[in-house]
Amino acid sequence: MKKDKPNSAENQDSPEIFNKTVLKKILQARMAQPSTEELISGILAGKINALSRAITLIESSNPNHFSKANEIINACLPHANQSIRIGITGVPGVGKSTFIEAFGKHLSNQGKKIAVLTIDPSSSNSHGSILGDKTRMEELVKDPNVYVRPSASGETLGGVARKTRETIILCEAAGFDTIIIETVGVGQSETAVHSMVDFFLLLQITGAGDELQGIKRGIMEMADAIVINKSDGDNIQKTALAKTELGRALHLFPSKKSGWTPIATTCSAKTNEGITAIEQMISKYIEQTKNNGSFDSKRAEQNEFWLLETINNQLKQDFFNHPAIQNELEQTKKAVQNNEFSPFAAAQLLLETYFKSKT
């Protein structure tokens, strides 16, 4: 048997990318950092590459990127606030990714541009994240009208905070008219998501125990709609019963300031049954809240919330990164563990040290 020679015709037809000169140019182009002005103009022109690079700057913990990110956000802000923001939550296994793909494809078919911001939980040990949402939304990521951005939750409770809030602004400036935020679904991220969206949707499934016991009261109070997913096959009757139970429960909660009465409904993300009705329900909610003024007042309250939240986070970060605190913190913690100081007295001493260093 003859062996192919290294310089055979097949090997001579190797793709140009293997040429060292071309490869070097590609690597240099990837390493080159675009200017702030280039990123801003690219975002406003709807260029996904510029949007992704700007979001990476926002998510970066590098102090050198902070001022650049703020400049981009401030430039994009006048072009933002023209979208509908939808938060989607639910326990793991409820089918959030499948639902978002079905819902996103439905909106895309209507000519809408959708940005999907998904949060993957980070490991508390390695701080790593799978970022598998793009894999779970195979069809959606191929859609030219859809931008899917998975992010690691990091150390932020529930994975959503200032970075997600600012990413929304950039996506809106890039021309996306519908922003969908998917929570980790661990029970604590819902408050943060609720404070940055217009419509808050809770996904639920049957067969996971008592339908009402399985949902926290706080989450139900925040929800503008509860959708029982996987209403197909032998599960249709069960989801219909769950819809009735949840509908009764929703009427027991205090009325919302928006005047909207939360709705319980069913759907099958697998068969697309009920997806159109959910889109119509959200449209009705937006129309009602815009007509009575609660849409704008809610957005204003959210802006105020994130103003105070950002101040709190910045002060906390400055406190723990201060050299004087870092020098004393470990000794103080040991003293508290040994019952030499109460936690409250020790905290007061550290705060006094911090404030003295600022004068």
Side-chain angles (χ1 to χ4, degrees):
M1 182 181 293
K2 293 183 179 180
K3 294 183 179 180
D4 291 336
K5 296 181 179 179
N7 59 348
S8 65
E10 181 181 354
N11 291 331
Q12 288 176 355
D13 292 336
S14 298
E16 188 181 10
I17 191 172
F18 291 108
N19 183 293
K20 291 183 179 180
T21 303
V22 175
L23 181 59
K24 185 178 180 180
K25 289 181 179 180
I26 292 174
L27 292 174
Q28 288 176 340
R30 288 180 178 177
M31 293 295 291
Q33 293 295 326
S35 66
T36 304
E37 291 74 17
E38 289 173 330
L39 289 176
I40 293 170
S41 61
I43 291 170
L44 297 181
K47 295 181 178 179
I48 297 301
N49 185 50
L51 174 62
S52 296
R53 286 199 170 205
I55 293 174
T56 299
L57 283 177
I58 290 176
E59 294 177 341
S60 173
S61 57
N62 187 337
N64 296 327
H65 294 161
F66 186 74
S67 59
K68 194 173 183 179
N70 277 343
E71 186 178 346
I72 295 171
I73 293 164
N74 289 333
C76 290
L77 195 56
H79 306 275
N81 295 301
Q82 299 300 316
S83 76
I84 302 303
R85 305 165 184 172
I86 303 169
I88 296 178
T89 189
V91 297
V94 76
K96 292 191 293 293
S97 296
T98 307
F99 173 82
I100 291 172
E101 179 163 55
F103 187 60
K105 287 166 63 178
H106 172 76
L107 295 176
S108 176
N109 290 336
Q110 295 183 332
K112 296 184 181 295
K113 293 192 65 178
I114 307 102
V116 181
L117 308 180
T118 69
I119 314 296
D120 262 27
S122 298
S123 167
S124 58
N125 296 323
S126 66
H127 302 291
S129 179
I130 297 176
L131 299 178
D133 289 284
K134 283 195 172 185
T135 304
R136 295 192 293 268
M137 302 179 190
E138 291 184 43
E139 294 299 321
L140 204 60
V141 296
K142 300 175 186 176
D143 194 314
N145 289 330
V146 181
Y147 173 64
V148 180
R149 175 74 183 200
S151 300
S153 62
E155 297 178 356
T156 304
L157 183 63
V160 286
R162 178 183 61 84
K163 294 176 181 179
T164 303
R165 180 67 175 82
E166 293 174 343
T167 297
I168 291 173
I169 294 172
L170 267 58
C171 290
E172 290 176 336
F176 291 97
D177 50 48
T178 305
I179 312 293
I180 297 175
I181 305 175
E182 176 194 358
T183 76
V184 177
V186 294
Q188 294 298 320
S189 61
E190 287 79 11
T191 300
V193 173
H194 184 259
S195 65
M196 63 177 78
V197 298
D198 305 310
F199 190 92
F200 191 63
L201 188 152
L202 171 62
L203 278 179
Q204 176 70 356
I205 52 174
T206 62
D210 190 301
E211 314 306 343
L212 297 181
Q213 293 292 336
I215 306 177
K216 291 184 178 179
R217 177 186 173 94
I219 300 175
M220 285 189 67
E221 287 181 327
M222 289 187 290
D224 296 303
I226 298 179
V227 176
I228 302 99
N229 192 20
K230 303 184 180 181
S231 180
D232 45 56
D234 296 335
N235 210 32
I236 293 178
Q237 289 186 342
K238 293 180 181 178
T239 55
L241 179 60
K243 171 186 173 181
T244 302
E245 292 180 358
L246 291 169
R248 291 170 180 167
L250 286 171
H251 284 86
L252 299 176
F253 294 116
S255 301
K256 292 181 177 289
K257 290 192 294 184
S258 63
W260 173 260
T261 302
I263 294 172
T265 187
T266 63
C267 83
S268 171
K270 182 179 179 181
T271 65
N272 288 324
E273 187 69 30
I275 297 297
T276 299
I278 292 171
E279 186 266 331
Q280 293 173 346
M281 173 183 62
I282 295 175
S283 296
K284 182 179 179 181
Y285 169 89
I286 298 301
E287 180 182 5
Q288 177 178 319
T289 54
K290 282 190 173 183
N291 287 339
N292 63 23
S294 60
F295 183 92
D296 291 332
S297 62
K298 183 177 181 179
R299 286 269 181 109
E301 290 173 1
Q302 290 176 344
N303 288 340
E304 180 183 345
F305 171 85
W306 286 106
L307 164 67
L308 300 177
E309 190 72 9
T310 302
I311 292 173
N312 289 335
N313 290 335
Q314 191 64 44
L315 286 173
K316 180 180 177 180
Q317 184 177 3
D318 186 69
F319 176 83
F320 284 107
N321 289 335
H322 197 284
I325 298 302
Q326 289 180 335
N327 290 336
E328 294 189 21
L329 185 58
E330 288 305 315
Q331 292 182 346
T332 304
K333 286 196 291 186
K334 289 180 181 178
V336 170
Q337 290 170 356
N338 295 330
N339 291 317
E340 297 172 17
F341 283 103
S342 75
F344 311 104
Q348 188 60 40
L349 287 173
L350 287 173
L351 286 169
E352 288 176 0
T353 300
Y354 174 74
F355 288 127
K356 284 179 181 178
S357 67
K358 289 292 185 179
T359 56

